[in-house]
Amino acid sequence: MNPIYETDRAAVTVRPAHREDAEAIRAIRNHVIEHSTALWTQTPQSPAEGMAWLAAHLERGSALVAEADGEIAGFAVYGPWRQLDGFRHTVEDSVYVREGRHGLGVGSALLAALITAARDAGHHVVIAGIEAENASSIRLHERFGFRHAGTVPEIGTKFGRWLDLTIMQLPLA
């Protein structure tokens, strides 16, 4: 078997993110922004924007990083799904893996820990909003019990084309 598809979960350590992780997280986010449709913006984050974004998650205790071979191999966060108080028990997840680290169990380790953290924080549902052609993210979420809740066609745009958004949900109760 090709070693890139072999999973050595023991080599991945998930821990709460710290301010010192901001630049590594920003680098992963900016790579995703520049090269994929996983984040629906084409504007890379500046260091100040990356720190402010991470600070909001650190304040909530909703940011995790995965370390492998001495580097940040990915990160995961959850945040409010909607701002109105009626949605206060529902959060949306985001899981990103550093380029070259896909298929090694990093995303699975992060999502497992993020689900546990959201449940421990008393949340009721986790929502995943995934670009509809991102089959690997959809499969990852399905492996953890997320159900397809619907797909909204042509709700966003990037790289000169319309994107569909698949909504998945995981009840935590």
Side-chain angles (χ1 to χ4, degrees):
M1 177 178 242
N2 185 335
I4 196 157
Y5 297 109
E6 293 177 12
T7 301
D8 182 7
R9 296 196 195 293
V12 177
T13 303
V14 176
R15 63 166 173 79
H18 305 295
R19 292 181 62 82
E20 297 78 27
D21 301 321
E23 188 53 35
I25 291 170
R26 187 179 77 89
I28 294 168
R29 281 180 59 89
N30 282 345
H31 186 273
V32 170
I33 288 168
E34 293 171 15
H35 299 283
S36 81
T37 56
L39 276 167
W40 294 10
T41 181
Q42 291 181 243
T43 306
Q45 279 188 324
S46 70
E49 291 166 334
M51 182 58 77
W53 176 86
L54 180 59
H57 288 288
L58 294 177
E59 187 175 318
R60 270 192 304 274
S62 62
L64 303 171
V65 295
E67 294 180 329
D69 299 326
E71 71 174 5
I72 303 296
F75 72 92
V77 296
Y78 68 78
W81 186 58
R82 296 284 184 267
Q83 295 301 320
L84 298 175
D85 66 351
F87 296 107
R88 69 188 173 279
H89 301 293
T90 301
V91 293
E92 183 173 8
D93 77 328
S94 296
V95 178
Y96 296 99
V97 177
R98 175 185 235 84
E99 185 64 26
R101 293 294 189 160
H102 295 94
L104 301 174
V106 174
S108 293
L110 283 164
L111 187 53
L114 196 70
I115 291 167
T116 298
R119 183 178 287 119
D120 290 350
H123 295 294
H124 183 67
V125 173
V126 178
I127 298 290
I130 304 168
E131 195 273 320
E133 292 184 9
N134 189 342
S136 61
S137 185
I138 290 170
R139 281 192 309 270
L140 171 66
H141 284 81
E142 286 173 342
R143 283 197 311 270
F144 283 88
F146 282 75
R147 297 183 318 247
H148 183 266
T151 298
V152 185
E154 297 185 2
I155 194 170
T157 185
K158 189 170 181 182
F159 302 137
R161 66 184 179 92
W162 287 104
L163 303 174
D164 299 344
L165 183 68
T166 293
I167 307 291
M168 301 182 78
Q169 72 176 65
L170 177 69
L172 297 175

